[in-house]
């Protein structure tokens, strides 16, 4: 918990926690985390897109790893547990293995990913995507609000985007991925439970809408003669809310708005705003998103403004591995708690990793379900339990992810599904 406080103090903006990908604060948080990894007995390396990895070898060096971890970047004005908890809990797990000189059949790797949030570039879940080979070169030309590309930011941080293909890990290198994360929602707290095994991650789509009106004098242009980009955009934003509220389990958010030229006495000529829409059923989300965009175009036409819509990222809903959820449920039960299961409304690196290797998550209760807010809070007792459950799950996976024979070929590794339990909800 004190390390989470230390990490939470590494920020771009004094007085709040803002640690966007490749900012000096993000790099500093990587260096601090790297030192803790080394202290815990790991060898460390940073990949070309600035994911940081610590490795603790198993009984046979070089074998496939159980990867545990989360991300170090944050949203703007963040809480200190989103991402940081999963990275530091993973280091605590390895530190405990090292303290007892225990070596598993698998290596354990701790991952500290970057730009999970997409709070700097429109490239949410970037560095885990690079690990699985899902990054296209064009994504590295994405720009932050100052116009700097990922490539330029990497170069400024001492990296080189050209090496991005070297981020890709062979499937056989990773036996499983498991992420401990705060729930970021109210379900566990309402049920009086500290932990839950995550079954699935909602799908999401992100769009940028640009509304073009005509800038003019705020004092001279009569109300009926205006093409105000902001009043048109306001009607569109209310439509985003209405459309999402009409569908069960669907949510949509306008989180960023830019009004140009942004002067008190000028009618807004241009507005840019983002839409983030999520839901558990891809077909419903896609249908609703398509209908919403048609609505926005209709509003633009009625108001005589132009509209351009760029849908820049879409992630389908992901079912996490049932065997890993079982192992997590068993680990929670072994810690004396009910092995409750729940889906995730938030996106996570685990949703990307699930395309590469069996992946799962443990959710930990957070106060009032608050997240993406400096008021994010967890208790010491829950954090302690979270680390214990993560360690127990790593032990369980090490047993469950058996090896066929004694060869060291990682591709021969399989999940032993016969050992799945039926426990849990
Ligand atoms: C990450 O926190 C996301 O779900 O946006
Ligand atoms: Mn997160
Ligand atoms: Mn987040």
């Amino acid at each position: 918990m004190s390390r989470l406080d230390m990490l939470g103090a590494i920020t771009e903006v004094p007085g709040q926690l803002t640690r966007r990908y490749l900012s000096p604060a993000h790099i500093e948080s990587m260096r601090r985390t790297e030192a803790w990894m080394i202290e815990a007995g790991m060898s460390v390396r940073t990949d070309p897109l600035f994911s940081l990895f610590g490795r603790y070898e198993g009984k046979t060096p070089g074998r496939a790893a159980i990867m545990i971890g989360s991300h170090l970047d944050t949203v703007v004005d963040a809480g200190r547990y989103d991402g940081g908890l999963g990275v530091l809990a993973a280091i605590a797990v390895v530190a405990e293995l090292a303290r007892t000189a225990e070596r598993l059949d698998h290596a354990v790797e701790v991952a500290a990913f970057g730009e999970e949030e997409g709070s700097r570039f429109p490239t949410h879940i970037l560095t885990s995507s690079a690990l699985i080979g899902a990054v296209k070169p064009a994504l590295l030309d994405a720009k932050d609000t100052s116009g700097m590309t990922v490539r330029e930011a990497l170069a400024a941080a001492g990296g080189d985007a050209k090496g991005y293909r070297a981020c890709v890990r062979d499937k056989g290198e990773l036996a499983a991925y498991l992420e401990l994360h705060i729930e970021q929602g109210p379900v566990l707290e309402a049920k009086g439970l500290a932990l839950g095994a995550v079954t699935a991650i909602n799908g999401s789509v992100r769009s940028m809408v640009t509304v073009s009106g005509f800038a003019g004098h705020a004092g001279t242009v009569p109300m009926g003669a205006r093409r105000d980009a902001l009043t048109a955009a306001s009607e569109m934003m209310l439509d985003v809310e209405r459309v999402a509220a009409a569908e069960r389990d669907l949510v949509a958010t306008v989180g960023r708005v830019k009004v140009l030229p942004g002067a008190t006495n000028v009618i807004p000529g241009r507005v840019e705003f983002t839409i983030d829409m999520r839901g558990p059923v891809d077909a419903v989300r896609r249908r609703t998103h398509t209908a919403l965009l048609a609505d926005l175009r209709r509003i633009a036409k009625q108001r005589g403004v132009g509209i351009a819509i760029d849908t820049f990222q879409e992630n389908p809903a992901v079912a996490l591995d049932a065997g890993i959820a079982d192992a997590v449920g068993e680990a929670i039960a072994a810690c004396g708690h009910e092995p409750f299961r729940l889906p995730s409304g938030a996106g996570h690196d685990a949703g990307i990793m699930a395309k590469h290797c069996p992946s799962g998550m443990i959710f930990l209760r957070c106060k009032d379900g608050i997240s993406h807010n400096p008021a994010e809070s967890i208790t010491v007792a829950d954090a302690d339990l979270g680390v214990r459950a993560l360690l127990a799950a790593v032990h369980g996976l090490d047993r469950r992810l058996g090896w066929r024979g004694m060869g060291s070929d990682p591709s021969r590794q399989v999940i032993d599904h016969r050992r799945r339990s039926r426990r849990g909800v």
Side-chain angles (χ1 to χ4, degrees), residues 13 21 65 67 90 99 101 114 125 133 156 185 232 255 268 270 283 293 300 334 344 379 393-394 408 416 424-425:
V13 183
Y21 177 56
M67 182 174 272
R99 189 184 68 79
I125 332 189
R270 181 183 163 104
L293 300 195
S344 171
T379 66
V394 167
S408 61
D416 184 352
V425 182

Side-chain angles (χ1 to χ4, degrees), residues 1-12 16-19 24-33 35-36 39 72 74 79-81 84-85 88 91:
M1 292 296 274
S2 69
R3 285 183 176 185
L4 278 161
D5 292 345
M6 282 188 239
L7 208 55
I10 304 177
T11 175
E12 296 170 52
Q16 62 165 235
L17 171 54
T18 294
R19 200 168 57 231
H26 175 229
I27 306 297
E28 189 186 334
S29 74
M30 288 174 65
R31 296 292 82 90
R32 182 74 65 90
T33 304
W36 286 328
E39 185 192 312
L72 285 178
T74 73
R80 65 187 63 171
Y81 305 102
L85 173 71
L88 295 187
I91 294 174

Side-chain angles (χ1 to χ4, degrees), residues 318-332:
V318 179
L320 293 175
D321 186 82
I324 301 228
D326 287 343
V328 168
E330 283 166 16
I332 294 173

